[in-house]
Amino acid sequence: QKEVEQNSGPLSVPEGAIASLNCTYSDRGSQSFFWYRQYSGKSPELIMSIYSNGDKEDGRFTAQLNKASQYVSLLIRDSQPSDSATYLCAAPRGGYQKVTFGIGTKLQVIP
Amino acid sequence: DTAVSQTPKYLVTQMGNDKSIKCEQNLGHDTMYWYKQDSKKFLKIMFSYNNKELIINETVPNRFSPKSPDKAHLNLHINSLELGDSAVYFCASKSTDTQYFGPGTRLTVL
């Protein structure tokens, strides 16, 4: 079982819809989780971090964490074509020094 | 100012050659990383240094040798390049819990 699993997609949503990106992890000891966005040909950039069970909102983005189910999700409301990118879920291990990334979900927002 | 910079951006070379990629960060972070992103876009950690000391060394062929002359620099030297080394290599530096990635170096081995 991979440490961090994501569906590689592509996930296609119409402009203005809610995009839902999902991630599961295997290490029950993981305490924090991150969502990175990577545009094609560019480097990953952090867009959300979440440490506690429940929801965390930042603008159009909401991260959701359920530690009992070992599940993390990212919701993007009012999706825009500029949100089209690959979204990488990540979890640190070993005192935050090592970060394991999922394979990433490619999101396509259709105008 | 670029926070994490890498040179070169593109590197095309023949099998068997030796090449280096340089990375510099001006963020004052103690921890730096090298990642490899292959054709399937999977981002895998290779090495991590904390204040010039190697702290993570994943299962990477010993043809890959990182060097950190100071905490702002982490270079990657690759000996005897193979076709399978073709990938994008990202350098990153880390604050408390955020990693800042460089622009990447696209290595193509012919």
Side-chain angles (χ1 to χ4, degrees), chain A:
Chain A
Q1 184 183 8
K2 291 196 176 89
E3 294 174 30
V4 178
E5 292 210 54
Q6 297 179 256
N7 187 321
S8 61
L11 172 67
S12 295
V13 300
E15 183 174 355
I18 296 175
S20 178
L21 305 160
N22 305 315
C23 170
T24 58
Y25 60 94
S26 60
D27 183 359
R28 284 197 171 273
S30 294
Q31 296 296 315
S32 55
F33 302 88
F34 307 97
W35 284 99
Y36 284 78
R37 177 177 62 200
Q38 186 175 21
Y39 291 113
S40 181
K42 301 295 184 182
S43 55
E45 57 176 335
L46 181 71
I47 54 171
M48 287 286 286
S49 58
I50 186 165
Y51 304 93
S52 306
N53 272 332
D55 295 0
K56 178 182 176 183
E57 188 175 318
D58 184 1
R60 296 186 296 112
F61 297 94
T62 299
Q64 299 175 318
L65 174 59
N66 183 325
K67 290 186 179 180
S69 301
Q70 296 177 247
Y71 180 88
V72 191
S73 65
L74 179 70
L75 301 178
I76 306 175
R77 290 183 299 281
D78 188 24
S79 295
Q80 301 297 309
S82 58
D83 295 325
S84 297
T86 296
Y87 290 81
L88 302 164
C89 176
R93 295 195 299 121
Y96 292 91
Q97 297 294 12
K98 178 180 175 182
V99 176
T100 301
F101 286 83
I103 197 165
T105 299
K106 184 172 183 178
L107 173 67
Q108 295 175 338
V109 180
I110 312 300

Side-chain angles (χ1 to χ4, degrees), chain B residues 72-84:
Chain B
H73 295 84
L74 180 60
N75 304 323
L76 183 65
H77 187 76
I78 315 170
N79 289 326
S80 303
L81 278 155
E82 300 177 358
L83 293 176

Side-chain angles (χ1 to χ4, degrees), chain A residues 2 4 34 36 38 41-46 49 51 86 88 93 95-103, chain B residues 9 31 33 35 37 40-43 45 48 50 55-56 58 90 94 96-99 101-104 106:
Chain A
K2 291 196 176 89
V4 178
F34 307 97
Y36 284 78
Q38 186 175 21
K42 301 295 184 182
S43 55
E45 57 176 335
L46 181 71
S49 58
Y51 304 93
T86 296
L88 302 164
R93 295 195 299 121
Y96 292 91
Q97 297 294 12
K98 178 180 175 182
V99 176
T100 301
F101 286 83
I103 197 165
Chain B
K9 190 169 175 62
T31 305
Y33 300 83
Y35 288 89
Q37 190 169 47
K40 295 183 180 178
K41 306 301 183 185
F42 192 43
L43 193 63
I45 190 170
S48 178
N50 183 271
I55 57 171
I56 295 173
E58 291 293 281
F90 287 103
K94 189 173 79 72
T96 306
D97 57 10
T98 302
Q99 295 205 23
F101 286 83
R106 182 173 294 276

Side-chain angles (χ1 to χ4, degrees), chain B:
Chain B
D1 284 344
T2 303
V4 183
S5 59
Q6 291 179 232
T7 54
K9 190 169 175 62
Y10 299 96
L11 189 51
V12 181
T13 188
Q14 300 286 330
M15 279 177 54
N17 284 351
D18 304 338
K19 291 293 178 185
S20 292
I21 306 172
K22 296 185 176 181
C23 177
E24 177 180 2
Q25 55 99 358
N26 62 8
L27 299 167
H29 297 158
D30 288 336
T31 305
M32 295 182 71
Y33 300 83
W34 277 110
Y35 288 89
K36 178 181 181 181
Q37 190 169 47
D38 59 25
S39 58
K40 295 183 180 178
K41 306 301 183 185
F42 192 43
L43 193 63
K44 287 183 66 175
I45 190 170
M46 300 174 69
F47 302 103
S48 178
Y49 271 71
N50 183 271
N51 204 8
K52 301 193 296 177
E53 297 294 325
L54 181 66
I55 57 171
I56 295 173
N57 185 348
E58 291 293 281
T59 306
V60 176
N62 57 15
R63 298 182 294 105
F64 291 78
S65 54
K67 284 189 173 52
S68 181
D70 55 61
K71 74 174 193 177
H73 295 84
L74 180 60
N75 304 323
L76 183 65
H77 187 76
I78 315 170
N79 289 326
S80 303
L81 278 155
E82 300 177 358
L83 293 176
D85 298 332
S86 296
V88 179
Y89 292 83
F90 287 103
C91 175
S93 74
K94 189 173 79 72
S95 65
T96 306
D97 57 10
T98 302
Q99 295 205 23
Y100 298 85
F101 286 83
T105 295
R106 182 173 294 276
L107 172 64
T108 302
V109 182
L110 303 175

